[in-house]
């Protein structure tokens, strides 16, 4: 059974940093791209970032480019999202998702709140 | 690619047919268009990929159609568990989601 376990969310001041993790199991992690998708309170889904199988290619939404960094460790079956210079508008539930689309598996989400 | 879903809210009854629209600002390459269902407090669930292919375990009352810039998700007979929010996503040119359609009783 495919499982994606998101973690690392929390409450942070504007300008602060957080690192999200997503631990994968139940499939050949090193054979799939991975993505992060977020959902602000009461809003729709927004793609954030994706990373290729090897990690050599990374892609970002314009809103987070230059502030967020996606990475992966295939030896640990884990994908990360380093979030720096956080803004109030980054407040959301962050989901990791298998592949670059379509996403047939999702994590349960981890909540990030940016507030003073 | 910007995706526009309509209507924003669809008010129907159990057993009725639901037709949800997703329009793209430009042609979606290879019709790489997916549909997701999301219930409150849960992660999205993949329903349809490639515009018309049902994902594993999805009931056949869900069907997808369309090509180019106009896509449709049809729920042939609404079950009580189907009253929730639906999103389209294109994955042919980067990734983007539509704003969602809420199907309510």
């Amino acid at each position: 059974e495919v499982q994606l376990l998101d973690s690392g969310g929390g409450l942070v001041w504007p300008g602060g940093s957080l690192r999200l993790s997503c631990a994968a199991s139940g499939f050949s992690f090193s054979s799939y791209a991975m993505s992060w998708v977020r959902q602000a309170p009461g809003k729709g889904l927004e793609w954030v970032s994706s990373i290729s199988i090897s990690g050599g290619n990374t892609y970002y939404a314009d809103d987070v480019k230059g502030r967020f960094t996606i990475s992966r460790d295939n030896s640990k079956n884990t994908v990360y999202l380093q979030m720096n210079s956080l803004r109030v508008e980054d407040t959301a539930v962050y989901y990791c998702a298998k592949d670059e689309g379509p996403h047939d598996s999702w994590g349960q989400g981890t909540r990030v709140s940016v507030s003073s | 690619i910007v995706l526009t879903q309509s209507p924003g809210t669809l008010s129907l009854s159990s057993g009725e047919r639901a037709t949800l629209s997703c329009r793209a600002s430009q042609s979606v390459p290879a019709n790489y268009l997916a549909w997701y269902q999301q219930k409150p407090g849960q992660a999205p669930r993949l329903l349809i990929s490639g515009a018309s292919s049902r994902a594993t375990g999805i009931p056949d009352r869900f069907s997808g159609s369309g090509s180019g810039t106009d896509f449709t998700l049809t729920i042939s007979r609404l079950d009580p568990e189907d009253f929730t929010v639906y999103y389209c996503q294109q994955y042919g040119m980067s990734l983007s989601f539509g704003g969602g359609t809420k199907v309510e009783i």
Side-chain angles (χ1 to χ4, degrees), chain A residues 19-43:
Chain A
R19 188 174 87 150
L20 307 184
S21 300
C22 171
S25 62
F27 66 102
S28 180
F29 179 77
S30 59
S31 297
Y32 288 89
M34 296 294 293
S35 300
W36 287 94
V37 174
R38 69 184 180 183
Q39 187 168 36
K43 302 298 184 183

Side-chain angles (χ1 to χ4, degrees), chain B:
Chain B
I1 296 176
V2 177
L3 299 178
T4 302
Q5 291 188 241
S6 61
T9 302
L10 193 54
S11 298
L12 294 167
S13 301
S14 288
E16 288 193 299
R17 181 185 189 91
T19 303
L20 288 65
S21 173
C22 177
R23 180 161 291 177
S25 59
Q26 61 189 91
S27 184
V28 177
N31 294 325
Y32 281 168
L33 194 287
W35 289 94
Y36 298 87
Q37 177 191 68
Q38 187 181 32
K39 296 184 177 180
Q42 296 184 17
R45 177 173 72 144
L46 177 66
L47 299 175
I48 302 286
S49 64
S52 60
S53 297
R54 265 190 306 277
T56 302
I58 301 303
D60 61 7
R61 65 180 182 274
F62 291 93
S63 63
S65 62
S67 64
T69 60
D70 289 296
F71 299 88
T72 300
L73 174 69
T74 301
I75 310 171
S76 59
R77 295 171 311 279
L78 283 164
D79 192 87
E81 64 186 17
D82 299 335
F83 290 91
T84 189
V85 182
Y86 295 84
Y87 295 95
C88 58
Q89 177 201 41
Q90 68 79 23
Y91 51 99
M93 185 184 301
S94 187
L95 294 175
S96 54
F97 288 91
T101 290
K102 181 180 181 180
V103 179
E104 66 174 23
I105 297 177

Side-chain angles (χ1 to χ4, degrees), chain A residues 10-18 38 40-41 46 61-68 82-94 111-116:
Chain A
L11 176 62
V12 63
W13 291 82
S17 298
L18 276 177
R38 69 184 180 183
E46 180 186 17
D62 288 343
D63 281 355
V64 307
K65 204 173 293 183
R67 299 188 298 123
F68 291 9
Q82 177 67 44
M83 304 187 297
N84 298 331
S85 302
L86 281 161
R87 304 168 180 167
V88 171
E89 53 267 33
D90 294 320
T91 294
V93 174
Y94 285 73
R111 189 173 302 273
V112 172
S113 295
V114 185
S115 174
S116 55

